[in-house]
Amino acid sequence: MPSREAVVEALSRVIDPELRRPITELDMVRDVEVDRGRVSVTIALTIAGCPLRVSFQDQVAREVGVLDGVESVELAFDVMTPDERQALTQKLRGGVNQRSKGISLDASTRVLSICSGKGGVGKSTLSANLAVAFSRLGRSTGILDADVYGHSIPHILGIRQRPVVVDRMIVPPVKDDLKLMSIGFFLDDNQPVMWRGPMLHKALEQFLSDVHWGELDVLVVDMPPGTGDVAISLGQLLPRAEVLVVTTPQPAAQEVASRAAVMAQKTSMRLIGVVENMSGDVFGTGGGEQLARELEVPLLGTIPLDPRLREAGDAGEPLVLSDPEAETAQAITELAERIDALRAGTIMKPLTVVS
């Protein structure tokens, strides 16, 4: 007959898919009973109807079922009490019960802001694939869909699951080791966001202070196009962010993209480089290189125009994940490698002091 201690030790290898920590460490194991070869385990979920029950069932069966003497494993679920959820929130926030002020990210987390001067340059698709590329490089990665009016990252990544609210902490959904937060999760169907600046600022502030991002190496932020309210708010909320400016090759896009770069400088963010997207016969080539010279920063990548990139995003399977050997996927992976090689905190271009 397996010992109770052996079962608990096996349960320490069962990881909460969203919180990314062992269920024993999170005090989610409510009960363990061993009756000869039959083992019964009860797990307390953060909310009733948790959509990740199957993951727990598979993990418990795999970890406990291989123990010597185990003939069958039964898994039951319970729901945490308000006090248990509050204790969990305190544990995840390091014992701090109050709302975090500012960004609830570790100081070592790199914040990479993907900007463009206008829409239609493939910024969101590039952001999603770039985040996947960082994850494939072994970096713990999150992505914030801050393109409030054009939120498309959940669709591109194929994430339908909504965030979980534990006490006053928001737990982002996870897919393929990527954590995602988007305003789209809080809207019904395809409803438009009809908010003014103060409401948008408050929502973005909440995404950065109340969301439990955990220990991230990189947070990729898909910025809205242009230099409006949201972009200014994010510049204020993310003063240590590193900015990558996306442009298409034609001069008109390059001219508009330079405005986004100037805005990033005036909000004290660090401009690390330019990427030329949709490069090829239709839009031409060279606009990214010209913009990089104008801004005095490196051209970090040239991504070819590829219909498969769009098709993969429409299917909810980013090309970097579905076909990593494709030329465009490799170009995005090389871009991630170049950014990863840059030391966090390096100021690629001296910034003007703004009073």
Side-chain angles (χ1 to χ4, degrees):
M1 185 176 71
S3 66
R4 188 181 187 281
E5 291 74 16
V7 174
V8 172
E9 197 277 331
L11 291 174
S12 69
R13 297 189 291 274
V14 176
I15 307 299
D16 184 289
E18 293 175 317
L19 299 174
R20 316 303 289 174
R21 289 167 68 172
I23 58 174
T24 51
E25 183 181 323
L26 298 173
D27 298 325
M28 297 176 68
V29 180
R30 179 65 54 80
D31 189 32
V32 174
E33 294 183 1
V34 180
D35 182 10
R36 297 184 185 275
R38 293 181 300 174
V39 177
S40 299
V41 177
T42 302
I43 293 177
L45 301 174
T46 53
I47 59 169
C50 176
L52 299 174
R53 289 179 176 229
V54 174
S55 176
F56 287 117
Q57 290 169 342
D58 293 343
Q59 291 188 71
V60 170
R62 182 177 66 246
E63 299 297 340
V64 178
V66 298
L67 296 177
D68 290 339
V70 173
E71 297 173 0
S72 64
V73 181
E74 296 179 1
L75 178 60
F77 294 101
D78 202 348
V79 181
M80 287 184 174
T81 65
D83 287 344
E84 288 174 328
R85 284 196 293 269
Q86 187 177 33
L88 175 62
T89 301
Q90 289 178 326
K91 177 173 289 190
L92 292 173
R93 287 182 170 172
V96 178
N97 190 35
Q98 299 177 353
R99 279 184 53 178
S100 303
K101 293 183 179 180
I103 305 173
S104 59
L105 290 172
D106 189 83
S108 63
T109 301
R110 293 184 69 178
V111 180
L112 181 64
S113 178
I114 313 299
C115 300
S116 67
K118 68 184 189 70
V121 299
K123 172 183 54 60
S124 295
T125 300
L126 179 63
S127 297
N129 279 271
L130 191 58
V132 174
F134 279 124
S135 182
R136 286 175 57 85
L137 290 175
R139 303 292 179 257
S140 177
T141 308
I143 180 166
L144 172 59
D145 186 4
D147 191 350
V148 178
Y149 296 117
H151 45 85
S152 57
I153 299 292
H155 182 90
I156 296 171
L157 292 176
I159 297 179
R160 307 287 182 263
Q161 176 191 338
R162 291 184 178 232
V164 173
V165 178
V166 181
D167 197 25
R168 288 180 299 176
M169 180 182 67
I170 304 172
V171 180
V174 180
K175 181 181 179 183
D176 299 319
D177 292 329
L178 269 181
K179 297 180 179 181
L180 168 65
M181 183 51 62
S182 171
I183 192 69
F185 290 135
F186 301 95
L187 303 174
D188 294 328
D189 299 323
N190 196 30
Q191 293 296 312
V193 178
M194 302 174 67
W195 295 350
R196 292 189 182 275
M199 291 182 67
L200 292 172
H201 182 92
K202 187 64 177 176
L204 293 170
E205 186 177 28
Q206 193 169 15
F207 285 168
L208 293 169
S209 62
D210 287 357
V211 171
H212 177 66
W213 290 105
E215 297 178 358
L216 292 182
D217 295 317
V218 182
L219 177 65
V220 176
V221 182
D222 180 29
M223 294 278 278
T227 57
D229 282 345
V230 178
I232 294 171
S233 292
L234 281 166
Q236 295 170 342
L237 294 167
L238 299 170
R240 63 185 176 90
E242 300 169 82
V243 175
L244 180 68
V245 178
V246 181
T247 183
T248 47
Q250 68 268 41
Q254 167 206 328
E255 180 180 340
V256 177
S258 65
R259 299 172 195 162
V262 172
M263 182 214 67
Q265 294 173 2
K266 290 191 174 183
T267 52
S268 300
M269 294 192 286
R270 304 178 182 94
L271 185 58
I272 64 169
V274 171
V275 59
E276 179 177 296
N277 199 27
M278 302 183 186
S279 182
D281 294 336
V282 176
F283 295 108
T285 58
E289 185 176 357
Q290 187 171 342
L291 177 62
R293 281 200 305 269
E294 176 187 333
L295 298 174
E296 299 177 12
V297 293
L299 176 66
L300 292 176
T302 300
I303 313 301
L305 180 65
D306 187 348
R308 290 176 299 171
L309 191 64
R310 188 268 305 165
E311 293 166 359
D314 287 344
E317 287 289 338
L319 188 65
V320 170
L321 190 63
S322 62
D323 188 5
E325 300 304 317
E327 179 186 359
T328 303
Q330 290 183 345
I332 295 174
T333 299
E334 290 171 2
L335 171 62
E337 290 172 344
R338 291 190 188 102
I339 295 172
D340 191 57
L342 296 174
R343 292 290 179 264
T346 302
I347 299 178
M348 301 302 298
K349 175 176 174 57
L351 302 180
T352 304
V353 176
V354 180
S355 59

